[in-house]
Amino acid sequence: MDHPKNKSNDTNNEEQEIQILLENAQLHHRSGNFEKAENMYRSILNKEPENSEATHLLGLIALQSGKHSLAQELFQTAIELNSQNPVIYGNQATNYWMQGDQKNAEAYYQKALEIEPTYAEAHANLGKIYMNQQRTEEAWEHLRLAINNGDKNTDTFATLAKVHFDLGNLEKAELLARNSIQGNPPTNSGYNILIESLCAQDRAIEAITVAEEYKEKEPLSSEPRKMLAKAYQDAGMPELANLQNN
């Protein structure tokens, strides 16, 4: 007859082995070795079929590989196994968003925020969805909360800059746009909003300097030349503006 203490030790040892395997799988996952990570996640599920995190991370590999139907199925299973993990809802929302399903994406980001109100990435992505839907005030609220809760993504700063520009808050738009182009990676949309903001504040000469920097950064793109032409036009230099359009 097995001693109860031995059974407890066996259980603890198995849980530790699964945790170590999960951590090693995540290392491979983060390094981009999806095949190795997937095999390790599946090995975990062979031992513990109801492991929500291994299921969730398999779904994340599917999402990152463009297998949206499989990702949706795995995320939904992970949610059924652990309905209180906001990151799973967030990834399911992103999966829907990447397929153009903004309605379900919004619902899942909202659910993630019900569980974790300070979830910065969910606030940021929900703000971007609302911006696409021209729900400016709601976009402003969620993007603001994303940054206040630690989101350093330059695209979030650029999107919030656009919101402030649309609301007529030009100085705030300028500040956020500068943050977005000084971050890593700098955003092209941040350059556009910064140039627009400076021109709208009758500071076209400064806008020219920024547009020249933008053009040097993206020499093969037509967008910097378009923005430089606008800055020259606003500065009263139509001849130089026309040169950029040729």
Side-chain angles (χ1 to χ4, degrees):
M1 180 178 178
D2 291 335
H3 194 283
K5 185 175 181 180
N6 291 337
K7 288 186 177 180
S8 177
N9 288 338
D10 289 344
T11 300
N12 290 337
N13 288 338
E14 185 173 345
E15 288 176 354
Q16 289 175 0
E17 287 176 7
I18 288 173
Q19 185 59 35
I20 291 169
L21 188 57
L22 182 62
E23 291 171 1
N24 288 335
Q26 288 175 287
L27 288 174
H28 287 291
H29 192 165
R30 285 192 290 269
S31 68
N33 190 348
F34 289 178
E35 183 178 357
K36 181 69 173 177
E38 180 176 347
N39 288 338
M40 295 174 78
Y41 292 142
R42 292 194 182 282
S43 177
I44 291 169
L45 291 173
N46 286 335
K47 297 178 181 181
E48 191 178 282
E50 295 189 350
N51 188 298
S52 65
E53 191 62 8
T55 305
H56 167 217
L57 293 170
L58 268 179
L60 185 56
I61 287 178
L63 173 61
Q64 292 168 323
S65 303
K67 300 174 181 177
H68 296 292
S69 295
L70 177 59
Q72 181 179 329
E73 179 183 336
L74 288 164
F75 288 146
Q76 194 57 46
T77 300
I79 287 169
E80 290 168 5
L81 293 169
N82 180 4
S83 62
Q84 295 304 305
N85 184 340
V87 178
I88 307 176
Y89 288 96
N91 283 330
Q92 183 71 295
T94 299
N95 187 45
Y96 279 116
W97 189 17
M98 290 176 69
Q99 297 176 83
D101 186 346
Q102 293 190 7
K103 182 177 180 181
N104 272 315
E106 178 184 350
Y108 276 89
Y109 282 132
Q110 290 283 17
K111 181 61 179 177
L113 290 169
E114 288 175 19
I115 298 168
E116 180 48 75
T118 62
Y119 187 4
E121 185 177 349
H123 278 299
N125 290 337
L126 196 52
K128 291 166 190 174
I129 287 173
Y130 289 150
M131 187 63 181
N132 289 339
Q133 297 174 347
Q134 298 182 326
R135 294 161 65 179
T136 308
E137 294 288 348
E138 292 167 279
W140 171 80
E141 177 65 14
H142 284 284
L143 292 164
R144 180 186 67 81
L145 286 169
I147 291 171
N148 287 350
N149 284 294
D151 190 335
K152 303 297 183 186
N153 190 311
T154 52
D155 186 56
T156 303
F157 280 87
T159 307
L160 185 54
K162 179 67 166 65
V163 169
H164 278 287
F165 182 82
D166 289 349
L167 291 171
N169 303 328
L170 300 179
E171 291 182 4
K172 189 68 175 176
E174 177 190 345
L175 175 62
L176 288 161
R178 288 190 186 280
N179 284 336
S180 76
I181 68 171
Q182 291 166 1
N184 186 27
T187 62
N188 291 349
S189 58
Y191 275 104
N192 290 346
I193 294 301
L194 179 54
I195 293 163
E196 293 272 11
S197 298
L198 290 170
C199 287
Q201 295 176 77
D202 297 323
R203 293 159 61 192
I205 299 300
E206 292 176 66
I208 290 170
T209 301
V210 174
E212 290 283 10
E213 176 187 320
Y214 184 17
K215 183 179 176 182
E216 183 177 342
K217 173 180 168 288
E218 297 288 346
L220 301 179
S221 172
S222 62
E223 190 64 22
R225 292 195 299 275
K226 175 183 170 184
M227 297 308 297
L228 183 56
K230 173 180 173 48
Y232 276 130
Q233 191 70 44
D234 282 23
M237 305 177 190
E239 299 85 357
L240 292 175
N242 289 336
L243 286 175
Q244 300 304 317
N245 292 323
N246 294 330

